[in-house]
Amino acid sequence: MTRTSAPGVRVKDLTVVYKTPAGELPALGGVSLSLAPGTITGIVGESGSGKSTLALSLLNAVQPPGRIKEGSVEIDGLGNVVELTGEELRRARGRQVGYVFQAAQNSLNPLKTVGKQLLDLGRSHDFDDLPALLKDARALLGRMGLDGGRVLDSYQHELSGGMRQRVGIMFALVLNAHLVVLDEPTTALDMITQAAILKIVRDVHHERGLTTLIITHDMGVAAEVTDSLAVMYGGRVVEHGPTTEVLGSPRHPYTKGLIRAIPRLSGDIDEARALPGRPPTLGTIPKQGCVFRERCPLRIAVCDTVDPEPVTRDARTVACHAVGHLATPVVPKEYV
Amino acid sequence: MITASGITKTYKQRGNMLGARAVPALRGVDFRIEKGGAVTFIGESGCGKTTLGRIVAGLETYDGGDIVIDGTPMSSLKPRHREPFFRRIQLIHQDPYSALNPTRTIHQTLAAPLALRAKQTGRGKAWMEERARELLALVGIDPGYVLPRYPHQLSGGMRQRVVIARALTVDPEVLVADESVSMIDVSLRLGVLALLKDLRERLNVSVLFITHDIATARYIGGDGELYVIYRGQVVESGPTERVISGPVHPYTQSLLSAIPVLHGVERPGPERVVPTEALNEAHPDTGCLFARRCPFRTDRCEAELPSLVSDGEQAHACYHPQRRNVIPVEAA
Ligand SMILES: Nc1ncnc2c1ncn2[C@@H]1O[C@H](COP(=O)(O)OP(=O)(O)OP(=O)(O)O)[C@@H](O)[C@H]1O
Ligand SMILES: Nc1ncnc2c1ncn2[C@@H]1O[C@H](COP(=O)(O)OP(=O)(O)O)[C@@H](O)[C@H]1O
Ligand code: SF4
Ligand code: SF4
Ligand SMILES: [Mg+2]
Ligand SMILES: [Mg+2]
């Protein structure tokens, strides 16, 4: 059965590994994160930080050579999706969890019209009333400023990037899922198209009562639409809290660096600073100690040996020895 | 110095059922790039920015108007005589993943253009080796590490720097950086922009910068000129800081209003402008090109095309220009 209200999501101690020539390496190293029902949560971080891997895990859709090694993903009404298999899982995708994949612009089937693909989707989810499905899709596309009828009759190559992006969003919403995951929904779009799409995401979220997760590497995008913001680095959530507070008074040194790297329209432009160094890749994520230490201006001795545990205080979670270590004893943790 | 005057370009698209369709990509664009200067073009997708960049770099032909490089009009020359002029203008591809040949080491990638340069200037192999190292150091990467490696062994930011180093092999006077399709990370991007800014200062090269993100135009050259292009027409231009802080054209205001606000750090500008509908190339082009989307249009706007008028510094093409506070303000 389809839920009619926004579900909550609780990710706990999630470790996802990819098989590489150097063995299985963790792309997510014990991530915990909750999405409150009815909110829009953003995940930001540089490329390779594990954002897409986390998003795929919400659907238990991590593909080989990757696998979920440990941890759980509880979604209200679905249970622990890590334990779902086969038919149960297939039905949950689309019907309960709507998903827009990264580069949705290129994920349509080039050989079939959008409408044909929609009918295939409806049939695979046993929709009896296909005309109603088409009608919903036309209405959604119309809401997004497109001529729904024309778009449904179009092939991928007949649509611009911004139009395809909106088609992706339509697919995520049309089966009436109440948990929607959008991976980089506006990357490579121009600012006006981006602003229009973000407004649609926000409006539909409120109208339908959704729980929404938006993955982006652009702080500005997250700032514009989310209620709650999680910052990822090296397969960890290093900071999480209400968006305006995380942006207004960031606590983790990485969050501070990311915010400072945004060129702004007003103020002294020379205050914008590139983050020194570059993000780690699977093979270079340190096996012990803080994953951010190579680039951290606050590094202290303990950072080299002990991975900082996330500590929650005043609705803000931060994983950093220089921020949270007085409040809670740190527990060393090892990753394979 | 490069002066472009009245550049027009129309693509003939082999059409669907309606037959060939003419797409006016540029409708008479004028601008000037001073030695060591910075000129930025902004505008939505499909407004002609890449077309213009390619024309300036000599990679695309134009239908009307002319490009004058250091006093020589390109139209007065036979194509093969234009080549030495255009060689001084190098386009930097902003997709570091496809810009480099994956089967060549960075050493080989730089050796080819350097060999040509050595031949022209009567220098030998030792000079080539030294120059390759010098250029990589100039763009901020370790030559010893990078030279023997293949592109896939480098990070996106390193690849982008190699692409810039390769453009520098011919001692260009102008770098054209088209980042409207940039796929690199925000934090890396700022590093690359800082490099371009640095090259302006150290080598006195000019930069023609193409972007969707107006804030980055301030970073690369707050002292430069900003051109706002819409459906192939420049609709507003002037000193970068002045246009950003005091835009008068509703289209410029729409672009500035669309930039995400960093809630918690900033508050939205009080007079943000949102276009009434999406860009549609099929909109009529008899009157103001922006009229169908403009919240401030009047009958006059739809009747005839406003031309660019300048107060000596800032220029706009609008019948009802008015300053509006659209950019975010610092939250207290
Ligand atoms: N080779 C081509 N053949 C036909 N039309 C073209 C061609 N290249 C560009 N156009 C058209 O010319 C216009 C300007 O395109 P251009 O690529 O210069 O835009 P742009 O401003 O660089 O956009 P973006 O921000 O998306 O990179 C568009 O209408 C585009 O569809
Ligand atoms: N199919 C795969 N095989 C091996 N490694 C992968 C695969 N997919 C992702 N990775 C690695 O996992 C890490 C996290 O990737 P991803 O979740 O895509 O990050 P993001 O979305 O934040 O850019 C990266 O180091 C990436 O290279
Ligand atoms: S734990 Fe140490 S290295 Fe890591 S972010 Fe905090 S201070 Fe920096
Ligand atoms: S000329 Fe008229 S329609 Fe065009 S931008 Fe100005 S006010 Fe708007
Ligand atoms: Mg990703
Ligand atoms: Mg372009």
Side-chain angles (χ1 to χ4, degrees):
Chain A
M1 232 353 267
T2 310
R3 286 176 64 90
T4 51
S5 67
V9 178
R10 290 161 304 279
V11 176
K12 265 196 85 193
D13 297 324
L14 190 68
T15 297
V16 176
V17 293
Y18 287 104
K19 192 181 270 163
T20 73
E24 282 195 326
L25 297 172
L28 295 180
V31 164
S32 297
L33 178 74
S34 293
L35 313 184
T39 59
I40 306 184
T41 300
I43 297 185
V44 294
E46 286 162 288
S47 108
S49 56
K51 305 181 297 295
S52 295
T53 303
L54 178 56
L56 287 169
S57 305
L58 294 194
L59 284 165
N60 192 354
V62 177
Q63 297 301 313
R67 69 182 179 96
I68 296 179
K69 191 180 173 207
E70 271 169 29
S72 60
V73 178
E74 295 273 350
I75 300 179
D76 291 341
L78 274 178
N80 182 1
V81 295
V82 172
E83 282 163 6
L84 295 184
T85 51
E87 187 59 10
E88 273 179 318
L89 194 55
R90 192 187 67 77
R91 299 185 63 83
R93 294 178 190 155
R95 208 65 189 258
Q96 273 144 325
V97 187
Y99 197 102
V100 182
F101 289 94
Q102 186 163 359
Q105 299 116 297
N106 308 319
S107 66
L108 292 168
N109 182 338
L111 302 176
K112 290 184 177 180
T113 63
V114 173
K116 186 81 181 42
Q117 292 177 64
L118 178 65
L119 291 175
D120 290 349
L121 181 75
R123 278 189 209 106
S124 77
H125 283 275
D126 306 324
F127 265 69
D128 307 321
D129 194 354
L130 293 174
L133 186 67
L134 286 171
K135 187 162 159 263
D136 283 354
R138 262 196 301 273
L140 272 168
L141 291 167
R143 276 201 74 327
M144 297 195 265
L146 300 178
D147 176 345
R150 219 200 84 200
V151 169
L152 291 179
D153 285 338
S154 300
Y155 291 90
Q156 164 184 300
H157 70 267
E158 295 171 322
L159 304 171
S160 72
M163 291 165 99
R164 284 182 218 167
Q165 203 70 263
R166 280 174 267 192
V167 169
I169 294 173
M170 178 275 288
F171 273 112
L173 296 172
V174 74
L175 300 185
N176 249 312
H178 282 262
L179 172 61
V180 173
V181 179
L182 308 161
D183 193 350
E184 305 276 8
T186 61
T187 300
L189 298 180
D190 67 67
M191 291 285 171
I192 290 185
T193 311
Q194 168 171 291
I197 289 186
L198 293 180
K199 180 170 185 316
I200 291 157
V201 167
R202 210 169 24 211
D203 290 351
V204 172
H205 169 89
H206 290 299
E207 278 164 28
R208 299 197 161 198
L210 306 177
T211 300
T212 303
L213 181 66
I214 294 189
I215 314 283
T216 171
H217 65 259
D218 187 337
M219 269 285 187
V221 168
E224 192 67 50
V225 283
T226 65
D227 307 306
S228 165
L229 184 60
V231 181
M232 287 192 72
Y233 190 85
R236 314 280 191 280
V237 171
V238 297
E239 181 156 9
H240 183 205
T243 302
T244 51
E245 291 177 28
V246 171
L247 290 172
S249 58
R251 294 189 188 158
H252 195 282
Y254 179 60
T255 315
K256 291 183 185 172
L258 274 185
I259 293 172
R260 218 167 56 156
I262 307 169
R264 309 252 301 275
L265 283 172
S266 55
D268 183 0
I269 188 70
D270 293 323
E271 276 174 19
R273 286 262 175 288
L275 223 59
R278 56 192 165 104
T281 57
L282 272 197
T284 62
I285 295 177
K287 291 201 171 42
Q288 64 166 25
C290 174
V291 288
F292 184 59
R293 65 175 183 274
E294 292 297 332
R295 304 169 77 186
C296 181
L298 301 183
R299 177 176 179 175
I300 45 180
V302 65
C303 306
D304 293 355
T305 51
V306 182
D307 193 6
E309 283 289 306
V311 174
T312 305
R313 226 194 292 146
D314 320 325
R316 184 92 61 97
T317 303
V318 183
C320 169
H321 294 305
V323 176
H325 73 297
L326 292 176
T328 329
V330 279
V331 188
K333 210 169 174 183
E334 275 178 32
Y335 297 101
V336 199
Chain B
M1 190 177 79
I2 299 175
T3 311
S5 51
I7 301 293
T8 60
K9 170 79 185 177
T10 299
Y11 290 106
K12 311 269 180 305
Q13 227 165 38
R14 330 206 108 261
N16 18 34
M17 49 223 106
L18 301 169
R21 193 168 68 97
V23 182
L26 297 172
R27 310 177 192 238
V29 171
D30 302 320
F31 66 93
R32 202 169 66 184
I33 312 176
E34 306 284 351
K35 179 124 188 73
V39 166
T40 302
F41 273 85
I42 58 163
E44 274 163 294
S45 274
C47 282
K49 304 179 300 296
T50 297
T51 304
L52 188 67
R54 291 177 52 82
I55 288 174
V56 171
L59 300 171
E60 182 86 74
T61 58
Y62 45 99
D63 306 331
D66 208 353
I67 298 204
V68 180
I69 302 178
D70 292 335
T72 308
M74 291 302 105
S75 62
S76 69
L77 300 176
K78 291 204 170 67
R80 71 194 157 90
H81 291 139
R82 286 176 205 156
E83 205 194 301
F85 285 91
F86 281 125
R87 199 175 300 131
R88 283 140 62 188
I89 305 168
Q90 286 290 311
L91 182 71
I92 301 168
H93 294 274
Q94 292 284 295
D95 179 1
Y97 298 92
S98 65
L100 296 171
N101 185 334
T103 65
R104 291 189 182 176
T105 63
I106 306 309
H107 186 266
Q108 290 166 327
T109 293
L110 295 179
L114 280 174
L116 192 72
R117 195 70 188 150
K119 209 173 118 199
Q120 287 165 348
T121 54
R123 278 180 275 216
K125 234 180 150 66
W127 174 84
M128 281 171 53
E129 293 298 319
E130 194 190 323
R131 185 73 180 139
R133 293 178 164 273
E134 196 176 280
L135 288 173
L136 290 171
L138 186 69
V139 298
I141 43 182
D142 176 8
Y145 180 83
V146 170
L147 279 170
R149 288 192 156 66
Y150 290 92
H152 74 267
Q153 296 172 306
L154 306 179
S155 71
M158 283 182 167
R159 266 178 276 196
Q160 189 69 70
R161 284 165 198 270
V162 170
V163 172
I164 295 175
R166 183 181 57 187
L168 293 174
T169 53
V170 300
D171 300 314
E173 284 160 35
V174 182
L175 293 176
V176 179
D178 183 347
E179 87 153 12
S180 51
V181 289
S182 174
M183 301 301 275
I184 55 174
D185 246 318
V186 230
S187 55
L188 291 176
R189 212 175 113 206
L190 201 64
V192 171
L193 296 179
L195 171 61
L196 289 176
K197 179 176 162 174
D198 186 52
L199 292 174
R200 274 187 66 203
E201 283 159 14
R202 285 204 280 167
L203 306 181
N204 203 27
V205 293
S206 337
V207 174
L208 175 59
F209 182 50
I210 293 170
T211 184
H212 287 149
D213 185 356
I214 314 182
T216 55
R218 299 181 69 214
Y219 194 72
I220 211 161
D223 58 333
E225 296 279 313
L226 182 67
Y227 289 78
V228 182
I229 187 168
Y230 182 64
R231 292 174 70 194
Q233 186 199 10
V234 172
V235 296
E236 184 157 11
S237 67
T240 300
E241 291 290 351
R242 186 170 154 180
V243 174
I244 289 175
S245 57
V248 300
H249 194 287
Y251 183 64
T252 312
Q253 292 163 354
S254 304
L255 286 175
L256 286 164
S257 301
I259 293 180
V261 174
L262 288 179
H263 297 280
V265 183
E266 303 171 331
R267 278 181 292 117
E271 298 173 283
R272 273 172 124 180
V273 174
V274 180
T276 55
E277 49 185 290
L279 172 65
N280 184 346
E281 281 171 4
H283 280 168
D285 52 9
T286 39
C288 169
L289 298 170
F290 190 56
R292 284 286 286 274
R293 307 172 68 196
C294 181
F296 312 108
R297 69 159 178 268
T298 59
D299 289 347
R300 183 177 180 204
C301 306
E302 281 166 294
E304 58 181 313
L305 178 70
S307 51
L308 207 58
V309 291
S310 175
D311 66 5
E313 261 207 322
Q314 190 167 345
H316 62 77
C318 173
Y319 292 125
H320 310 291
Q322 191 186 329
R323 258 188 88 139
R324 289 187 179 86
N325 287 323
V326 296
I327 65 173
V329 285
E330 208 76 17

